C-alpha cells in the first residue's frame, strides 16, 4: 500500500502528533508498505524510515510551526499516486491535502488529535469559536473517515455534525515504560533526590501551558509526606511557580527517551490535571510503568482509567476531590501497588504494533469503500 502522510507537525518538533506519525511510519516500513511525508518546514529531515519527507512553508505560532497551503501539495500527491492519504491532526495543511486527495480520487483518513474548537472556546475567543467549529466540520466532512482517540472525542465530533468516525487509540511503548525500571540505578538515584526522607512522589508529565491546568496541584498544599515532581516546560512555568508556593515541588524540566521512562518509574502516583485531553498518552505511559493514576473524569482519561481499579477519576471542577484521592493513595501503599499492577495489565494489548495494525485495517476499509463507489458509478 502507498500511503501519503500529511502531518501538521513533524520532527524535530516533538509532541503527540509527531510521536504518532513517527510510530505509523516505523510500522509502515517494517510491514513493507511505501510512504511519503508532507509537513511544515521547520528543520524537518529530508527522509525518515527510508521514506521521503517534503516540507512546505510554515509560520510559527506559540512555538509551533503551522504549515501553510502550497501548490506543492497537489503536485506531490499527483506524482506519488498514493492509495490512501493519512491526515494527522489536519488544519490548514491537512485541509488542503484532503481536498487535493478528493480531486485525485484518493480516499483519506483524518486523525482527530487537536481540539482547535475547544482551544478557542477555552480562551473565550467569541466568534472564533464558531468559526473553528465550522472549519473542523468542513475539514473532517471532506475525509472518508475520521479516527477519534476516545469516546469523548467521538461525542464532540458527533455534536459538531461529524459522523463518519471510528475509534482509534494510541499505542504505548511497553518495553521502554516498564515496572522493572524501578530497579535500575538511575531510578534509585532519582528517587533519592525526590524522596530523601521517604516521601510519596506524586508525578506529572506534560507541557506547562494553560490548557494543562497544572495549577491544580495547589490542592495538595498541606498534604503531609509527599513530594510533587513535575516533568515538562512551557509558557505557564513562571505562573506555576507562584501558584504552587507552599507545595513541595521538584521541577525536572522537559525529559524524553530513557530519562522520561526513569522519571515515571521514580513516581509513586501519577496525576493528570487537564480536562480537555482528546486522549491522554501520559496516562498510558504511567500505566505501562506500573503506576496508579489520578485523572479528571473528562476527555480521554475516561476511557483509560478504571475508577477504583487502575486509579481514580476526580470530579473535573472539584480540586478537593483531587486532594481526597491523592491522600487515599498516599496513605495506602498496598492499594497503590495493586492499582499500578492493574494499570500495567490494562495496556498490555495496546502496543504500537497492535494499534498500527488496526490503522492499516482502517486504510483498507476506505480504499475498498472508494473502489465499490467507483464500480457503481462506472455501471450507471
Amino acid at each position: 500500500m502507498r500511503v501519503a502522510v500529511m502531518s501538521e507537525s513533524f520532527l524535530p518538533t516533538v509532541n503527540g502528533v509527531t510521536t504518532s506519525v513517527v510510530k505509523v511510519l516505523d510500522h509502515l516500513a517494517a510491514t513493507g508498505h511505501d510512504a511519503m511525508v508532507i509537513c511544515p518546514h521547520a528543520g524537518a529531515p529530508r527522509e525518515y524510515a527510508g521514506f521521503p519527507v517534503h516540507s512546505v512553508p510554515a509560520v510559527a505560532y506559540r512555538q509551533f510551526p503551522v504549515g501553510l497551503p502550497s501548490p506543492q501539495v497537489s503536485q506531490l500527491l499527483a506524482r506519488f499516486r498514493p492509495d490512501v492519504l493519512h491526515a494527522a491532526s489536519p488544519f490548514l495543511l491537512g485541509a488542503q491535502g484532503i481536498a487535493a486527495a478528493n480531486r485525485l480520487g484518493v480516499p483519506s483518513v483524518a486523525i482527530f488529535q487537536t481540539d482547535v474548537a475547544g482551544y478557542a472556546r477555552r480562551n473565550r475567543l467569541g466568534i472564533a469559536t464558531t468559526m473553528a467549529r465550522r472549519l473542523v466540520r468542513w475539514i473532517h466532512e471532506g475525509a472518508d473517515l475520521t479516527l477519534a482517540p476516545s469516546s469523548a472525542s467521538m461525542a464532540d465530533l458527533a455534536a459538531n455534525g461529524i459522523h463518519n468516525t471510528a475509534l482509534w487509540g494510541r499505542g504505548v511503548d511497553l518495553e521502554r515504560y516498564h515496572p522493572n525500571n524501578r530497579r535500575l540505578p538511575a531510578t534509585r538515584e532519582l528517587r533519592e533526590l525526590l524522596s530523601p526522607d521517604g516521601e510519596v512522589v506524586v508525578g506529572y508529565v506534560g507541557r506547562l501551558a494553560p490548557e494543562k491546568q497544572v495549577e491544580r496541584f495547589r490542592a495538595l498544599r498541606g498534604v503531609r509526606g509527599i513530594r510533587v515532581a513535575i516533568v515538562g516546560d512551557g509558557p505557564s512555568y513562571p505562573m506555576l511557580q507562584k501558584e504552587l508556593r507552599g507545595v513541595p515541588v521538584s521541577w525536572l524540566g522537559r525529559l524524553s527517551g530513557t530519562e522520561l521512562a526513569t522519571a515515571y518509574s521514580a513516581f509513586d502516583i501519577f496525576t493528570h490535571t487537564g480536562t480537555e485531553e482528546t486522549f491522554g498518552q501520559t496516562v498510558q505511559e504511567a500505566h505501562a510503568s506500573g503506576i496508579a493514576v489520578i485523572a479528571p473524569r473528562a476527555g480521554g482519561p475516561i476511557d483509560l482509567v478504571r475508577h477504583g481499579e487502575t486509579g481514580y477519576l476526580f470530579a473535573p471542577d472539584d480540586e478537593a476531590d483531587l486532594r481526597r484521592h491523592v491522600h487515599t493513595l498516599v496513605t495506602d501503599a498496598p492499594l497503590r501497588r495493586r492499582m499500578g499492577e492493574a494499570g500495567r495489565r490494562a495496556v498490555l494489548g495496546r502496543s504500537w504494533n497492535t494499534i498500527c495494525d488496526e490503522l492499516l485495517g482502517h486504510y483498507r476499509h476506505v480504499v475498498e469503500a472508494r473502489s465499490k463507489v467507483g464500480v457503481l458509478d462506472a455501471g450507471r
Side-chain angles (χ1 to χ4, degrees):
M1 190 178 298
R2 295 171 65 80
V3 183
V5 177
M6 294 203 64
S7 181
E8 302 291 340
S9 176
F10 197 60
L11 299 171
T13 301
V14 178
N15 53 36
V17 175
T18 298
T19 298
S20 294
V21 168
V22 163
K23 293 296 185 180
V24 169
L25 292 171
D26 288 341
H27 193 73
L28 290 173
T31 50
H33 299 281
D34 196 8
M36 77 161 180
V37 180
I38 303 175
C39 64
H41 178 72
R46 293 189 175 182
E47 69 171 42
Y48 180 83
F51 303 135
V53 176
H54 305 278
S55 56
V56 299
V59 295
Y61 177 69
R62 293 186 72 201
Q63 303 176 352
F64 293 109
V66 177
L68 300 175
S70 166
Q72 186 181 1
V73 169
S74 295
Q75 297 166 9
L76 288 169
L77 291 177
R79 192 180 311 139
F80 183 65
R81 300 180 64 185
D83 297 304
V84 64
L85 173 77
H86 173 119
S89 194
F91 191 51
L92 298 180
L93 182 59
Q96 184 189 11
I98 291 171
N102 283 329
R103 289 193 297 271
L104 293 169
V106 175
S108 57
V109 174
I111 313 299
F112 181 76
Q113 194 157 338
T114 304
D115 187 2
V116 177
Y119 171 83
R121 181 179 62 253
R122 181 178 60 252
N123 289 277
R124 298 186 177 93
L125 299 184
I127 192 171
T129 302
T130 301
M131 293 175 63
R133 287 177 63 86
R134 289 175 179 172
L135 177 60
V136 169
R137 184 166 60 246
W138 175 74
I139 291 171
H140 288 275
E141 282 179 342
D144 291 69
L145 178 67
T146 289
L147 297 179
S150 64
S151 57
S153 294
M154 289 188 71
D156 287 343
L157 289 167
N160 198 17
I162 303 164
H163 300 286
N164 54 331
T165 60
L167 190 63
W168 182 64
R170 300 292 179 269
V172 63
D173 190 331
L174 296 171
E175 295 181 3
R176 169 166 287 172
Y177 304 107
H178 198 287
N180 288 345
N181 290 342
R182 285 181 173 270
R183 305 171 187 167
L184 298 177
T187 304
R188 291 199 296 267
E189 183 179 339
L190 182 57
R191 282 285 307 184
E192 290 174 4
L193 176 67
L194 297 176
S195 177
D197 298 312
E199 295 92 341
V200 174
V201 180
V202 181
Y204 167 86
V205 174
R207 184 167 160 77
L208 306 184
E211 65 270 18
K212 302 299 184 180
Q213 298 169 290
V214 184
E215 63 274 10
R216 287 173 175 235
F217 279 108
R218 64 195 167 203
L220 304 187
R221 191 176 288 117
V223 176
R224 300 178 64 181
I226 68 167
R227 165 69 62 174
V228 176
I230 294 180
V231 175
D233 59 15
S236 292
Y237 177 60
M239 177 274 288
L240 291 170
Q241 286 185 301
K242 297 177 182 178
E243 281 288 325
L244 300 185
R245 283 176 182 163
V247 179
V249 178
S250 293
W251 304 91
L252 301 182
R254 183 176 173 275
L255 301 176
S256 61
T258 301
E259 288 185 331
L260 177 58
T262 297
Y264 276 114
S265 294
F267 299 161
D268 296 297
I269 303 166
F270 180 79
T271 300
H272 176 76
T273 49
T275 59
E276 298 183 12
E277 295 292 325
T278 57
F279 185 66
Q281 181 66 1
T282 57
V283 171
Q284 283 203 140
E285 291 168 353
H287 277 327
S289 302
I291 306 166
V293 172
I294 297 173
R297 192 183 298 276
I302 294 175
D303 295 342
L304 301 177
V305 179
R306 299 174 187 169
H307 185 73
E309 182 180 344
T310 64
Y312 290 119
L313 293 169
F314 66 88
D317 298 321
D318 188 352
E319 291 185 6
D321 196 30
L322 164 62
R323 181 187 175 97
R324 280 192 294 272
H325 289 313
V326 170
H327 185 267
T328 296
L329 290 182
V330 165
T331 56
D332 195 336
L335 178 60
R336 292 200 304 269
R337 287 193 292 270
R338 288 197 301 273
M339 286 185 166
E341 291 166 0
R344 172 71 184 182
R345 290 194 300 271
V347 298
L348 289 178
R350 299 183 197 158
S351 70
W352 273 109
N353 281 341
T354 299
I355 294 299
C356 289
D357 279 342
E358 290 181 11
L359 179 63
L360 291 175
H362 289 301
Y363 289 166
R364 287 190 286 269
H365 170 74
V366 297
V367 170
E368 290 169 4
R370 275 282 183 124
S371 297
K372 289 177 182 177
V373 170
V375 169
L376 289 173
D377 289 343
R380 289 175 182 171

